[in-house]
Structures are given as structure tokens and as C-alpha cells.
Amino acid sequence: MLEQLKENWEKILDNVKEDQDLSDVSFNTWLVPLKPVSVEGNVVTILCPVNSIGLEYIDKKYKIFIQVAIEEVIGFKCELHLVIPEEKAKKAPKKKVVDADIIKANLNPRYTFDTFVVGSNNKMAHAASLAVAESPAEIYNPLFIYGGVGLGKTHLMHSIAHFILKNNPDAKVLYVTCETFTNELIDAIRNKNNITTTEFREKYRTIDVLLIDDIQFFSGKSRTQEEFFYAFEALIAARKQIIITSDTYPKEISGMDDRLTSRFDSGLTVAIEPPELEMRVAILIKKAGQEGIQLSDDVAFFVAKHLRSNVRELEGALRKILAFSRFHGRDITIELTKEALKDLLSVQNRQISVENIQKTVADFFRIKVADMYSKRRPANIARPRQIAMYLTKELTQKSLPEIGELFGGRDHTTV
Ligand code: ADP
Ligand code: MG
């Protein structure tokens, strides 16, 4: 049946094109790249060399028509199973064991070391992660990775797990978010789903590699912290690897038992910083490359200059650009990029100015804007001024000396 499908594939796609009256752009973008790769029973697997958004789109918009066309052209009533290349690789028999584990371990198949771009902002975290991946429970235990949102903590964590599972498919690797951990604990306490607290403990104490993401969400949950503490102690004592991420340095996580935070710091603690311009450019070019698109330097610089906060935002922008270019069948130029990112860029343009902050804070505290840069320092003025300086640091790209200057020539250490 596969042979017959392959022989008639062009005809089948043409049939869809005619029936649906597709434009050449849509046809070339969505249908031409599709290839039937296997038939099992009445399930036909189709390889779709697109990103997951493209996949979803093809699934919603074209799948049913392709099924109809197959029936019309070769009389085969089938169901289509669409896969993107990674998923197809996953089906390769040799890797089966690993992949079964990966599913159990809750890992994202895209988050591997191969797809992680290394730069000065994450060099340390990357090196430490790779070292832990190569020698779990032997060097840095726990490994604690912290940094702002969207900077690659989860990605790195999953990379370690993939690496370990590849070397040792039998390793018991478990990735959990703090939310999952907490919910499972609550279920166990309530004896919901017939899980007892003993079973809960058992589960978390018999793992080889425990990945626990966004631990700051344990904040204020003392029972969860206590349970985690015992799991933590048991695993470390049994020489099992623990990897933790958080949005801040261990000691700065509020509402967390000191006993825990001091343990977190007992292995290695590494930070991921926000990426600098060159890194943002590199990430954009690499991510585009992964989609089979060669992004020009000027477009990559343009995007990187305008979007500064984190990698997730860059990915979102890139997706928009690629989709826009596909839909309109146009090359990716700065012009197209501006159009595709119109909404994002206008938000950037409305970026908060220092004057804006000074005025808003002054209004709120009912002081004069001039007091923001005056030399006077009674508390009722100093405090609002400090708040305004803090907000300026948080909300604008100004450096400490620049802020000092804008607030009446204050020293950057004061700022
Ligand atoms: P965090 O957990 O720190 O909030 P994530 O790991 O979820 O961030 O990363 C957000 C997105 O950015 C993910 O899609 C991830 O693949 C991507 N990303 C982050 N850092 C990098 C990097 N250095 N190289 C490649 N992709 C990255
Ligand atoms: Mg994360």
C-alpha cells in the first residue's frame, strides 16, 4: 500500500489542490513538503517537515482533504497520522527504549544540548550541566540553575536528562514541576487515586535523576518543603543526582526553609544571565536554521536589537516572521520583519521612559517632579526617589551611572 501511495502521491496532492482551489503559495508551503512514510493497517504516517505550528495548521486545515483525496485516487480509506521530523526520528526502532523513558520522564524532545546555543550569558550553566550529564551524582550534587524567565533553565535541565538517558536508557529520570510535586503530595495526603503518602515517598526516593523545575513555587508551602527535604536527603545519601532550577539565588527565595536553601547551595549553583546582543543574534540565526531558513544578519540584528528581554520572546518573534513570510510567499527582509512584528514593536516603542517613571511616581506620592533630581533628602522625598530609580532599572535599559545622572547626578553606588 505504501508503494501505491508513493506512486500516486503527486496526483493525490493535486487532487486536494484542485478540490480546495488552493493558491500555489499555499500548495507549495503546506502540501508539497508532505511525504507518506509508512502504512500500518489503515493508518498512514505522513512526514511533515514543518515546525509544530505548521503541523497543527496542516492537521486542522488539510488533513481531512488529504484523506478524502487518497480515497478518491487509490480507493484507500485511511486515517492520517502527521509527524514532524523529530517525532519520526523518535519512531526509529533503535532509540525506542530511550524514547519510552523520555515520555515517562516528561521531557520535551526539542530541549537537548544540540539545540542549545551557548554564549557568555550561559557558558557556566551549560558547562556545569554537561558535566553533570556526563557524570551524574559524581561532581555537582545538587546542580542548582537560576535565572530569569525564558532564559533556558528548563531547556538545559531537559538536555541533561536526555543525555543521561541516551547513555543509560535504564536510568530512572523524572522531571517534575513544583506544581506537579505539590499536587501529587496533596493527592497522597487525601489518599486520592489510592496513592498513599508512603507510595508518594517511595516514588521520589527511588529515582536516579530528579529534575525539579521552578522551585521558587515551593515558597510558603511548608508541608511540601518538608516532604521535598526528606526526598532530597534520601536521594543525595543514595548518591542520586538532583537538578533544581529557580528564578533566584537559593538564599533569596522567599518563604523557603533555611534548612532547604542551605542544602541547595551545597552542590554547585550557577546563573543564566539575559543574553547580550550578539547572543540574541546567534540564537535567532540558529533557530531559523533549525527550521531550514537562512536568516540574514541584518534581519537577525534588527530583531535582536528590538527584543531584549529573553529567548522565549525571540522565538515568538521568529515564529511570527517565518509564518508571515510563508503565508505571503515573500522573502524575509527587514521590511517584512517590520510588518510581521508590527504589534510587538509598537509595544517596544511605547517603552516606558525615565521621565514617565519620574512623573508617575511623583504624582503618586504627591511630590514635585523636580524633587526626583533635587539634592534634598527628607525621607518623604528620598523614598519615592529610590522607588523611581528602582523602577527605572527594572523597566528601562538604562545603566546604573546613567540612572544616577538622570536623578540629579547621584553616584551609581547610591543608585
Ligand atoms: P526558562 O525555563 O528559563 O523560563 P526555557 O528553558 O523554557 O526558559 O526557555 C524558553 C525558550 O527559549 C525555550 O523554547 C528554549 O528552547 C529557548 N532557549 C532558551 N535559551 C536557549 C539557548 N541558549 N539556546 C537555544 N534555545 C534557548
Ligand atoms: Mg522553565
Side-chain angles (χ1 to χ4, degrees):
M1 187 49 79
L2 181 61
E3 277 318 301
Q4 206 185 335
L5 251 182
K6 281 186 176 163
E7 269 166 32
N8 290 285
W9 193 241
E10 263 180 48
K11 222 166 160 185
I12 291 167
L13 295 184
D14 282 341
N15 182 304
V16 178
K17 181 173 190 244
E18 266 171 39
D19 264 10
Q20 298 304 309
D21 202 12
L22 296 185
S23 69
D24 286 342
V25 183
S26 316
F27 182 66
N28 291 331
T29 309
W30 305 114
L31 295 184
V32 171
L34 306 183
K35 296 271 173 296
V37 288
S38 72
V39 180
E40 274 173 59
N42 74 330
V43 177
V44 177
T45 301
I46 307 280
L47 178 64
C48 316
V50 293
N51 60 15
S52 54
I53 288 193
L55 188 76
E56 207 185 319
Y57 183 72
I58 294 170
D59 190 80
K60 279 211 189 106
K61 177 134 188 187
Y62 294 112
K63 187 163 120 174
I64 179 101
F65 299 120
I66 302 171
Q67 279 171 200
V68 171
I70 293 175
E71 194 179 347
E72 270 180 26
V73 177
I74 60 169
F76 179 39
K77 211 171 165 58
C78 63
E79 282 227 10
L80 296 192
H81 176 49
L82 306 179
V83 295
I84 47 183
E86 284 133 339
E87 227 181 305
K88 191 194 147 239
K90 230 161 88 177
K91 293 248 159 57
K94 256 208 235 128
K95 289 178 74 191
K96 217 167 191 148
V97 188
V98 175
D99 289 321
D101 272 340
I102 285 176
I103 290 158
K104 267 193 277 158
N106 305 327
L107 299 177
N108 183 332
R110 288 189 305 117
Y111 291 175
T112 61
F113 282 124
D114 294 340
T115 57
F116 191 80
V117 185
V118 184
S120 53
N121 65 315
N122 60 24
K123 227 197 253 149
M124 266 288 286
H126 175 262
S129 298
L130 192 59
V132 166
E134 286 166 348
S135 333
E138 279 177 27
I139 32 169
Y140 309 127
N141 204 11
L143 175 65
F144 191 102
I145 305 170
Y146 72 97
V149 62
L151 297 183
K153 300 182 297 295
T154 302
H155 188 141
L156 255 187
M157 191 177 226
H158 285 208
S159 306
I160 300 174
H162 284 299
F163 193 100
I164 292 176
L165 280 169
K166 203 163 172 200
N167 280 344
N168 177 9
D170 295 328
K172 276 204 227 155
V173 175
L174 182 68
Y175 166 84
V176 277
T177 59
C178 285
E179 201 187 356
T180 309
F181 186 90
T182 308
N183 289 341
E184 281 184 14
L185 176 63
I186 292 171
D187 285 354
I189 292 170
R190 292 197 191 136
N191 204 349
K192 213 169 131 193
N193 310 324
N194 286 328
I195 304 168
T196 62
T197 36
T198 322
E199 279 162 338
F200 173 85
R201 285 179 192 156
E202 195 59 23
K203 172 177 173 186
Y204 282 95
R205 283 163 211 190
T206 50
I207 286 164
D208 297 317
V209 182
L210 177 62
L211 311 148
I212 189 130
D213 207 1
D214 286 321
I215 200 133
Q216 73 274 6
F217 290 123
F218 276 173
S219 164
K221 302 195 177 93
S222 56
R223 177 68 207 269
T224 310
Q225 289 181 26
E226 194 180 316
E227 245 355 282
F228 183 70
F229 180 76
Y230 289 114
F232 184 96
E233 292 284 279
L235 288 173
I236 295 279
R239 295 181 54 84
K240 309 292 189 183
Q241 180 70 47
I242 299 177
I243 303 152
I244 303 169
T245 69
S246 164
D247 65 350
T248 43
Y249 189 74
K251 296 239 161 58
E252 297 218 321
I253 309 173
S254 63
M256 193 75 97
D257 191 340
D258 289 347
R259 218 166 39 147
L260 262 180
T261 49
S262 63
R263 288 292 197 294
F264 292 166
D265 233 356
S266 64
L268 180 72
T269 300
V270 280
I272 302 188
E273 306 285 344
E276 287 175 352
L277 179 68
E278 292 73 16
M279 176 66 177
R280 299 200 295 275
V281 170
I283 287 175
L284 284 166
I285 290 177
K286 173 138 180 186
K287 299 249 169 200
Q290 282 164 7
E291 304 286 332
I293 305 284
Q294 203 183 342
L295 204 63
S296 69
D297 286 356
D298 55 345
V299 169
F301 266 99
F302 177 83
V303 177
K305 254 194 240 154
H306 283 88
L307 302 178
R308 293 174 259 205
S309 75
N310 68 47
V311 183
R312 191 172 288 138
E313 185 184 65
L314 290 178
E315 281 183 341
L318 185 62
R319 265 200 301 275
K320 277 199 177 147
I321 296 168
L322 298 188
F324 199 88
S325 127
R326 266 183 204 137
F327 271 113
H328 297 280
R330 285 165 47 191
D331 289 341
I332 300 175
T333 57
I334 298 241
E335 216 31 63
L336 176 131
T337 303
K338 278 185 190 159
E339 274 180 65
L341 302 183
K342 211 164 54 202
D343 296 345
L344 270 182
L345 295 178
S346 75
V347 171
Q348 293 288 323
N349 287 341
R350 264 190 273 121
Q351 238 191 15
I352 301 158
S353 67
V354 181
E355 295 74 29
N356 227 298
I357 294 172
Q358 291 176 330
K359 168 133 184 28
T360 308
V361 175
D363 285 353
F364 182 85
F365 286 99
R366 293 163 201 262
I367 60 173
K368 289 198 252 53
V369 177
D371 283 332
M372 286 288 160
Y373 26 85
S374 73
K375 295 275 175 235
R376 303 174 49 201
R377 359 185 146 139
N380 68 327
I381 289 173
R383 182 91 183 131
R385 191 158 53 211
Q386 283 161 359
I387 290 172
M389 286 195 279
Y390 173 79
L391 289 174
T392 306
K393 180 75 188 107
E394 285 289 301
L395 301 175
T396 73
Q397 305 293 326
K398 301 274 184 251
S399 66
L400 295 178
E402 280 169 330
I403 297 174
E405 202 48 50
L406 290 160
F407 280 81
R410 295 191 146 73
D411 190 68
H412 76 272
T413 53
T414 315
V415 177

